Amino acid sequence: EPEVTQTPSHQVTQMGQEVILRCVPISNHLYFYWYRQILGQKVEFLVSFYNNEISEKSEIFDDQFSVERPDGSNFTLKIRSTKLEDSAMYFCASSGQISSYEQYFGPGTRLTVT
Amino acid sequence: KNEVEQSPQNLTAQEGEFITINCSYSVGISALHWLQQHPGGGIVSLFMLSSGKKKHGRLIATINIQEKHSSLHITASHPRDSAVYICALNTGNQFYFGTGTSLTVIP
């Protein structure tokens, strides 16, 4: 069964550094998403991406964040100048033909900023 | 302001019991998702609803658009159903997540 994969599973970085979280969505999916979940809190929407551009983003997704689909298979989330409060689990998801289709989630990347 | 409210927050059931988890929301939606988050953190999509009712095995999800309410039912609950169940809204341009219902099924 096709699945969404994410790398790395755990990333530790120092405050102020840049990190890139990687996701490989299901191959025939067209919509891609990033979410985050701070430990003990609810999941929060960051951004959705379709047709090589951001389709929607939340208030959280400010200039510190960017997304890219560099090569037609990977979908990346870049966090510049990381802060302690960026420590969270970051989930990637993809969905099929239209945005309201069922989403398939990756296993998540745990980001720890020290 | 919480766009999504789930109840109960925590639920403990004996194996075999019928379980209901509720989700109320306050915004217009294009779809409502029920998700399952395992103790290890992984998230699985259970249902995507825009109207009516869906059934997968022992799981049933219903939605009443007029009342802005959805329910997730688990029949014949089993310890492996123990997880956090999350209601999430797709408003067409944003996603809002509930805080989740933590379910523990005791053998």
Side-chain angles (χ1 to χ4, degrees):
Chain A
E1 185 174 330
E3 59 181 16
V4 177
T5 59
Q6 290 185 243
T7 54
S9 57
H10 190 191
Q11 173 91 47
V12 181
T13 190
Q14 287 194 320
M15 196 167 53
Q17 297 296 305
E18 174 182 287
V19 295
I20 297 176
L21 310 183
R22 290 183 167 79
C23 169
V24 179
I26 293 172
S27 62
N28 62 348
H29 282 185
L30 300 176
Y31 285 81
F32 314 111
Y33 311 85
W34 281 103
Y35 301 94
R36 79 172 184 190
Q37 186 176 33
I38 296 170
L39 187 64
Q41 298 186 22
K42 62 183 180 181
V43 178
E44 299 172 292
F45 168 68
L46 293 178
V47 66
S48 59
F49 190 86
Y50 169 71
N51 199 26
N52 283 319
E53 60 183 26
I54 290 172
S55 49
E56 302 295 341
K57 60 183 181 178
S58 71
E59 293 177 349
I60 302 167
F61 195 89
D62 59 19
D63 292 342
Q64 186 193 6
F65 296 89
S66 61
V67 289
E68 194 176 40
R69 190 158 158 80
D71 57 13
S73 61
N74 289 283
F75 178 50
T76 62
L77 174 69
K78 183 187 291 186
I79 309 174
R80 287 178 280 275
S81 190
T82 50
K83 300 175 281 197
L84 295 176
E85 54 264 39
D86 294 326
S87 295
M89 183 75 91
Y90 288 82
F91 292 100
C92 170
S94 68
S95 67
Q97 298 296 309
I98 58 175
S99 62
S100 59
Y101 269 36
E102 179 180 358
Q103 293 187 24
Y104 292 80
F105 286 79
T109 292
R110 180 166 298 285
L111 175 66
T112 302
V113 182
T114 62
Chain B
K1 176 190 168 195
N2 284 327
E3 293 80 4
V4 191
E5 297 280 357
Q6 282 187 240
S7 63
Q9 276 193 304
N10 298 285
L11 181 56
T12 300
Q14 291 288 332
E15 184 173 356
E17 283 186 12
F18 180 86
I19 288 161
T20 296
I21 299 170
N22 295 299
C23 174
S24 295
Y25 55 93
S26 58
V27 295
I29 65 170
S30 59
L32 181 146
H33 299 256
W34 280 102
L35 310 171
Q36 181 191 55
Q37 187 166 31
H38 298 291
I43 296 175
V44 174
S45 176
L46 298 175
F47 294 102
M48 191 280 295
L49 293 162
S50 53
S51 65
K53 178 179 173 177
K54 287 189 177 179
K55 184 176 189 294
H56 289 157
R58 295 180 295 106
L59 302 180
I60 302 165
T62 63
I63 188 168
N64 184 320
I65 298 293
Q66 287 73 32
E67 294 186 3
K68 292 188 164 61
H69 182 269
S70 176
S71 293
L72 175 69
H73 305 285
I74 305 174
T75 62
S77 59
H78 190 276
R80 64 175 174 268
D81 297 327
S82 298
V84 176
Y85 291 84
I86 301 170
C87 172
L89 311 178
N90 178 351
T91 65
N93 57 9
Q94 289 291 320
F95 291 86
Y96 299 103
F97 289 77
T99 52
T101 294
S102 179
L103 172 65
T104 302
V105 181
I106 299 170

